[in-house]
Amino acid sequence: IDERWFHWVLRMTMTLPERRVLAGYLEMAYLSFYPLIPLGIVILYLSGQSDGADQYWTAVLVPTYVCHAITVLFPSLPPRLVEADEGLRLRRSRLRAVSSWVLQHGGITVNTFPSGHVASAFGAAFVLLTLTPVAGLVCLWVAGSIALATAVLRYHFFMDAVLGVALALLTYVCFAA
């Protein structure tokens, strides 16, 4: 799916300057994951929705743990480490260097399947949509951008991102709604 359709569409429909702008936005989106999760709980407390904290942590942590548990059973390398193609075929940027440093020093260095970043971000977004709709819409936009970034920038395979969203939705419906 990645090679035959997803990246081909991006390369064929965008000029190099447009791809650079998109890549910059997506790197920022990917890095935004790290403050997104604690910011979500802060938003709940500041909006007077502290009683939703258990719901929030369930929607964030359960899919994250599932992603990591599956990774133990089926370890794989992320596409950025096994493919010559860097998604948008761009030069290495400073933002990419920051993302790589964060992953190397703070990540687990293997590919989670489904994507833990995507599952956590969407889990947070689903709860925030329910309890604080405006913040939830913003979080949903950021989560969608993170999902797109994981696939386009080759942090994950496309299906890792899709299944991360599905896992977050399933967790939310079954345990957090």
Side-chain angles (χ1 to χ4, degrees):
I1 290 172
D2 290 62
E3 187 59 35
R4 291 196 175 156
W5 183 80
F6 190 63
H7 293 288
W8 180 84
V9 169
L10 289 172
R11 285 192 299 265
M12 298 307 289
T13 60
M14 300 179 77
T15 65
L16 188 58
E18 289 169 335
R19 285 186 281 180
R20 285 186 178 143
V21 170
L22 177 63
Y25 169 76
L26 293 176
E27 286 291 356
M28 290 298 293
Y30 189 76
L31 285 168
S32 74
F33 167 79
Y34 299 100
L36 178 72
I37 301 304
L39 185 60
I41 197 72
V42 168
I43 288 169
L44 286 179
Y45 277 86
L46 291 177
S47 66
Q49 297 287 339
S50 61
D51 55 332
D54 287 344
Q55 183 182 8
Y56 181 83
W57 288 120
T58 300
V60 169
L61 294 177
V62 168
T64 302
Y65 293 154
V66 169
C67 292
H68 287 265
I70 292 172
T71 298
V72 170
L73 299 173
F74 303 103
S76 68
L77 291 174
R80 71 183 185 281
L81 298 180
V82 295
E83 297 175 353
D85 182 17
E86 279 279 320
L88 294 176
R89 293 187 182 176
L90 296 170
R91 299 175 302 187
R92 193 158 171 85
S93 69
R94 287 188 179 125
L95 280 173
R96 181 67 169 200
V98 170
S99 293
S100 295
W101 186 89
V102 168
L103 285 172
Q104 185 177 17
H105 292 88
I108 61 172
T109 67
V110 295
N111 187 52
T112 58
F113 175 79
S115 168
H117 282 93
V118 173
S120 300
F122 271 92
F126 294 148
V127 172
L128 290 173
L129 270 171
T130 305
L131 300 176
T132 58
V134 173
L137 285 172
V138 172
C139 189
L140 190 62
W141 177 268
V142 173
S145 297
I146 290 167
L148 188 60
T150 63
V152 171
L153 299 174
R154 311 311 290 147
Y155 292 111
H156 283 278
F157 294 101
F158 180 68
M159 288 308 296
D160 297 348
V162 170
L163 292 174
V165 175
L167 179 59
L169 183 59
L170 180 66
T171 301
Y172 176 74
V173 168
C174 291
F175 301 109

